[in-house]
Amino acid sequence: MSTNAGPINLFEFEALSKERLPKEEYDYIAGGATDEISVERNRRAFESWALRPRVLRNVSALDLSTTVVGTRVNFPVLLAPCGGHKKAHPEGEFASYRAATACGTILAVSANASADFQELTKAAPGHLWLQMYPFRDPEMTKSWLQGAKELGYEAVCITLDSQWPPKRERNIRNNYKQMRGANYPKLGPGESRGPGGGNPAATWKDLEWIKSATDLPVVAKGIMTGEDVELCAEAGADAVIVSNHGGRHLDNTLATIEVLPEAVAAANGKIEVLLDGGIRRGADVVKALALGAKAVFIGRPLFWGLAVAGEQGVTRVLEILREEIEITMAKCGRATVASLDPTVVVKAPPL
Amino acid sequence: MSTNAGPINLFEFEALSKERLPKEEYDYIAGGATDEISVERNRRAFESWALRPRVLRNVSALDLSTTVVGTRVNFPVLLAPCGGHKKAHPEGEFASYRAATACGTILAVSANASADFQELTKAAPGHLWLQMYPFRDPEMTKSWLQGAKELGYEAVCITLDSQWPPKRERNIRNNYKQMRGANYPKLGPGESRGPGGGNPAATWKDLEWIKSATDLPVVAKGIMTGEDVELCAEAGADAVIVSNHGGRHLDNTLATIEVLPEAVAAANGKIEVLLDGGIRRGADVVKALALGAKAVFIGRPLFWGLAVAGEQGVTRVLEILREEIEITMAKCGRATVASLDPTVVVKAPPL
Amino acid sequence: MSTNAGPINLFEFEALSKERLPKEEYDYIAGGATDEISVERNRRAFESWALRPRVLRNVSALDLSTTVVGTRVNFPVLLAPCGGHKKAHPEGEFASYRAATACGTILAVSANASADFQELTKAAPGHLWLQMYPFRDPEMTKSWLQGAKELGYEAVCITLDSQWPPKRERNIRNNYKQMRGANYPKLGPGESRGPGGGNPAATWKDLEWIKSATDLPVVAKGIMTGEDVELCAEAGADAVIVSNHGGRHLDNTLATIEVLPEAVAAANGKIEVLLDGGIRRGADVVKALALGAKAVFIGRPLFWGLAVAGEQGVTRVLEILREEIEITMAKCGRATVASLDPTVVVKAPPL
Amino acid sequence: MSTNAGPINLFEFEALSKERLPKEEYDYIAGGATDEISVERNRRAFESWALRPRVLRNVSALDLSTTVVGTRVNFPVLLAPCGGHKKAHPEGEFASYRAATACGTILAVSANASADFQELTKAAPGHLWLQMYPFRDPEMTKSWLQGAKELGYEAVCITLDSQWPPKRERNIRNNYKQMRGANYPKLGPGESRGPGGGNPAATWKDLEWIKSATDLPVVAKGIMTGEDVELCAEAGADAVIVSNHGGRHLDNTLATIEVLPEAVAAANGKIEVLLDGGIRRGADVVKALALGAKAVFIGRPLFWGLAVAGEQGVTRVLEILREEIEITMAKCGRATVASLDPTVVVKAPPL
């Protein structure tokens, strides 16, 4: 920690978590597919957009709240569905959920969660989403959709970029064995338990069927083209998450912030557009919202928060982002999330 | 010092000041908001414009003088309003003012000055501006405007980019306590004494009111968009300073030299455009003037001058810039400031 | 090796081969012309194209097979004609040919091969091409063309970028003596035996004549402009290889992947376009095919495979590429090579 | 030296000269104005143009000869007018002139030469130009023009970018005293003997007058804009040298190879365009000629040649460039200098 009060930004959380986590766990969290070009690009691409400060617009009363597929959140940063929070802290998802609730935001629970889906709901009076795949066995998909509804999860997040397993070389070198998800005994025969938990044979009919099989909002995760945003809208999804899985599945993609304008144009107001990938500063959040995202997710930073101080660490990560968003919005002359529009940003050419 | 005669350029002044100043003071001066991307970009963006040498144009008699909101200066570099010059030298603003006067230019005195506004006026027979904020208490604003006039300050500089406090991580890490401004006992109740000395609720009406409340020229500082240049002109300001506060308030902005063309276009001749941010070489000054700035300010370099040799150091910083401006103008075939036009420069693409 | 199972990507093969090969041999393989700018650019230019992931397209049954000038291969990566495989392993081309055959692809045998052209054909039941030059002595050219046909080679690859010897500074510094090709006793008087095995006086008539003198497919290697693609087509060639000889002949060219779109446009479907240069990842292969290449070649990586583990090493190099191509195609939603079209990629601007 | 045979490229000459020259002399030669941005840019900008290899064009008989303002040279690389060759070798300009003559090219003798203009003419049966300034004293200019003619110099090179002295910080730090030119006793009163040997008051009338005062070809050196190329043509000059004085006078200019297209367009065939700045490889020469330069000059490399091995060193520097030009031309399918046209090159975007 840089001061007695702890890390002062997310990079310090990262550095401190690296000291505290076993190397193989740190690597699992930090790493990406093959050359990790997309991991790096997700981050650096935010620098290719500059902020445009505005003055004298009365920013004395900032309101960062917004809604995401109908759920109101206090500020536009959600916790991404990441497997096995217990990797980073014994309280795992329980800590994360309490932190999200304290900050007025949502935890999206991974299919590979280390907490029992049902137990988790009892840990806080907040908002949960359930992340899942179009499983090979439609009965299993149906059962999970029903479970999500019955347990009070407020949306289902369908991960679509994991139909084929990735090549993550840090994990190969570390001979890394992923923690077994706590909820996978419920998996049907033939289903994968690894990161490529999807079904290579899945098609858009699977997403249409999922939509028809639940009345929860359906959020399609892992979309990186305007074409697929349109297809998601046609399949009835309520939102897409522009995501390259943090650079963890296919390397050599554009950064998510680079794809966002194409996605927002294709969405054309018919479907909400969310984003993850490389969010480390409040300024990143403001840029994403200015370019049309409704909200963003953080993934790796939640593990850093857990590794440093459990629930308190995740809370602090969220608070830091919130404070940085406030500074950024105030200095761009925007008092509300709704007022963040494309005039807040401008392309910053390479120098 | 690189030779017996002392530092030969501003970078050597910087290096030498780093040796002489306490780390926390050096960091306070050097640092910027969050990742200090804009601090760096301010500087590097000057390289994205190249100079176009011209020959055989008789440059035997160079005249660098110009006017800034009506005040004639010997050359187009002014001292920016920076708080607490005593941080760097016991004589503080007194030294800076005498140096500015010796070089025939203007000191803009910060609201957070370490010298008494009245005492300072007695130190030299030169030109002073007073920098202030639209304070929360209009009476206080009025009182400062009147004081500026009575004490013979020749313009007021209204800082507009500080309505919300910044996040400066070097200062947080150093547990830095800013020096108390010598003139702030006069502050009204509820006014901030820190870098975010502005009022978050201020609007364009405040600037209009300031203009109506003084007959001194009003210079609006901290403008980074064409839109705000137009609004400043509409509010009656006499000049804008294109400034991102040296990258010290909002990170992730464009460099000021990148914003300058947009600002000059928006000014459309109705309001003078000045600039600060990253000026370290005479060539930088010439580029800014070629792109339409009337004059520029230096901030950090005045502290380096103070730290190295007090009044003499600031004088030398200004002299070095003057000599470099002369070389640059002569080699671009321009004998006068008025002849610096956009044909002096050309975009230098990244290689 | 990074794990017990050996290198997990081609870069690890490279690093390991560097440990195992004599410096001068490693340098001969790694090096290029003069400043090796094109060696590096070949590689880095792949990063200037990003992949566009697509979802829900049923990629459960991947088919990587394709044809190259009429020969079916199991996947679109061929072994480039490189001289003297014995430099890297005692079994030389025999090992490479068995590996190519095991993987269902083609070995293009160099004119400077360290294996006897005839003996080699007996080593495996696969596919061989013969690489040669337009020799100074047309009788020799004729004799080689006939020999290729009689020995069952399935195409001739005519290298056109070697009419003048290159400047390879690593070799000069190492006082490197290239291994004598096993088949060059058959060379006529006056023919070069070195890397500049071509005839500076050769013209397009030579290529036309070669085409007329054989009924094997003729593949023109070393083409870097649309103009020359058109001339190859007019001369009757069946394919071109867009190649800058791995940056080993002329430095300061574009990367081959940069030239590919121009070459494909000029080919206009009349002639197949192949590519070599900098292929290290399956993603590189997919990008090249998306931009219109029918298949690609690897050169240096085959030496790395040989140096590390002979036939098994080359096989592993090919398998790794195959696995990476599968991941890339699946995640781009493409089940077949034929479905790889320009919408798979998008320019990734420098950040 | 990298081998017994000596340096194999100009960079090795540079490295070796650095070992052999006193630091202050090496720095004088290597250094440039202020931040040396233009020194570096001159060099790197060559990489922004790629070569386009062409095949099968019969390059068996290369002819590198050309003419420069009427004088035939064996290849298009001339020795630039640089002061005080004795800095690098006791034989100074005598060695350089013999080397130039051996290679069939021209030595442009500096006004600040360390050899007597008359003595030098006796050292070899080659080609000399005399470089000079528009001096303050027109009588002196006249006298030098007449002297050049009488001594058999074949052209006069009028340096125009030195009307104002530069700021070269390496020299200031080294307290460098430039060698006194051997011919300057002939200077009139009031004339400078330093690098800023020009007259700040000079105008285009001075160049017109020089043209009228001699029947030697007049070459205007130090031109960096299309506007000044046109003015040179109007003043009657026979050629311009696109030059930023090796980055030694004004920093922050474009590279000369970047300005060349603008200069060639402005010349419009009415005046020859030459170039210096950053030439280190034969490829650089070919690029400059492809973009319209008639020939190029080398400056620093001649000092490196001198420092390493006197006449033999300069000869070797020229030979290396010649060999590299041959390779480049042959591989671009060009047998003659006249066939080098803009299709030889293509912009190589930053990656």
Side-chain angles (χ1 to χ4, degrees), chain B residues 38-58:
Chain B
S38 295
V39 176
E40 171 72 8
R41 191 170 182 99
N42 269 356
R43 179 76 212 113
R44 288 181 51 218
F46 281 107
E47 277 194 40
S48 70
W49 289 100
L51 295 165
R52 300 180 75 239
R54 299 296 304 272
V55 302
L56 293 176
R57 291 162 64 104
N58 191 353

Side-chain angles (χ1 to χ4, degrees), chain A residues 193-213:
Chain A
R193 283 173 176 76
N199 172 11
T203 68
W204 289 101
K205 293 208 175 302
D206 293 83
L207 188 61
E208 288 168 22
W209 176 81
I210 285 170
K211 177 62 188 174
S212 72

Side-chain angles (χ1 to χ4, degrees), chain B residues 135-137 140-141 144 184-193:
Chain B
F135 293 111
R136 289 169 199 262
D137 174 5
M140 173 163 157
T141 307
W144 280 47
Y184 267 123
K186 298 160 200 160
L187 276 174
E191 296 293 341
S192 156
R193 283 175 175 77

Side-chain angles (χ1 to χ4, degrees), chain C:
Chain C
M1 302 193 196
S2 75
T3 70
N4 293 337
I8 62 172
N9 61 37
L10 272 56
F11 301 112
E12 291 192 2
F13 267 100
E14 181 177 19
L16 201 49
S17 78
K18 188 170 186 179
E19 293 174 17
R20 298 195 176 181
L21 287 167
K23 178 185 187 307
E24 77 215 34
E25 296 294 357
Y26 177 80
D27 273 354
Y28 175 79
I29 294 163
T34 53
D35 297 310
E36 302 186 350
I37 293 167
S38 295
V39 175
E40 172 71 8
R41 190 169 182 100
N42 269 355
R43 178 77 211 112
R44 287 181 52 218
F46 281 108
E47 275 194 41
S48 70
W49 288 99
L51 296 165
R52 301 179 77 238
R54 299 297 303 273
V55 302
L56 293 175
R57 292 163 64 104
N58 189 354
V59 289
S60 56
L62 298 183
D63 179 1
L64 275 63
S65 70
T66 189
T67 61
V68 187
V69 290
T71 299
R72 177 150 293 272
V73 290
N74 280 0
F75 78 121
V77 180
L78 287 67
L79 297 186
C82 304
H85 291 202
K86 286 187 184 168
K87 272 194 272 289
H89 190 271
E91 295 178 28
E93 285 82 1
F94 293 91
S96 304
Y97 181 33
R98 287 191 297 258
T101 303
C103 295
T105 189
I106 297 166
L107 169 66
V109 182
S110 166
N112 297 298
S114 46
D116 179 86
F117 293 154
Q118 185 162 14
E119 290 302 312
L120 185 60
T121 61
K122 303 170 189 167
H127 305 290
L128 293 171
W129 289 4
L130 186 65
Q131 177 263 330
M132 50 186 290
Y133 304 96
F135 293 111
R136 291 169 198 262
D137 175 4
E139 287 308 308
M140 175 164 154
T141 308
K142 196 169 189 178
S143 143
W144 279 47
L145 291 171
Q146 289 173 342
K149 177 72 178 179
E150 289 163 12
L151 294 172
Y153 286 75
E154 295 178 49
V156 288
C157 173
I158 312 297
T159 295
L160 301 176
D161 60 8
S162 307
Q163 294 179 263
W164 197 274
K167 183 176 189 185
R168 295 189 192 150
E169 301 192 348
R170 295 203 207 200
N171 295 352
I172 300 171
R173 291 189 191 107
N174 290 335
N175 200 21
Y176 184 76
K177 303 297 180 198
Q178 183 156 18
M179 186 178 285
R180 183 184 181 125
N183 300 279
Y184 266 122
K186 298 158 199 162
L187 275 174
E191 296 295 342
S192 155
R193 281 173 177 78
N199 173 9
T203 68
W204 290 100
K205 294 209 174 302
D206 292 83
L207 188 61
E208 289 169 21
W209 176 82
I210 286 169
K211 178 62 189 175
S212 71
T214 182
D215 58 2
L216 290 176
V218 171
V219 179
K221 179 169 181 285
I223 302 302
M224 287 290 284
T225 63
E227 295 96 308
D228 280 351
V229 172
E230 285 181 24
L231 290 166
C232 284
E234 289 173 18
D238 299 277
V240 294
I241 307 179
V242 173
S243 171
N244 56 13
H245 217 114
R248 299 168 70 83
H249 266 270
L250 179 64
D251 203 8
N252 290 286
T253 68
L254 290 182
T256 53
I257 193 73
E258 291 179 285
V259 169
L260 182 60
E262 167 183 340
V264 168
N268 199 17
K270 292 175 295 190
I271 184 170
E272 291 187 5
V273 179
L274 309 169
L275 175 142
D276 71 22
I279 299 282
R280 300 294 178 267
R281 286 284 189 190
D284 305 330
V285 181
V286 171
K287 289 176 188 178
L289 269 63
L291 291 169
K294 201 80 167 72
V296 303
F297 293 82
I298 53 169
R300 291 179 181 95
L302 80 82
F303 285 107
W304 304 335
L306 283 172
V308 169
E311 174 189 342
Q312 187 190 354
V314 179
T315 301
R316 187 70 194 116
V317 161
L318 289 167
E319 283 174 354
I320 286 173
L321 284 176
R322 183 186 175 98
E323 291 158 13
E324 292 178 353
I325 294 169
E326 287 174 346
I327 294 171
T328 308
M329 286 178 56
K331 290 187 174 295
C332 291
R334 263 61 174 200
T336 65
V337 163
S339 66
L340 292 169
D341 63 24
T343 69
V344 172
V345 291
V346 61
K347 287 296 289 182
L351 294 182

Side-chain angles (χ1 to χ4, degrees), chain B residues 49-53 283 286-287 328 332 344-345, chain D residues 250-254:
Chain B
W49 289 100
L51 295 165
R52 300 180 75 239
V286 171
K287 290 176 188 178
T328 307
C332 291
V344 172
V345 291
Chain D
L250 179 65
D251 202 8
N252 290 287
T253 68
L254 290 181

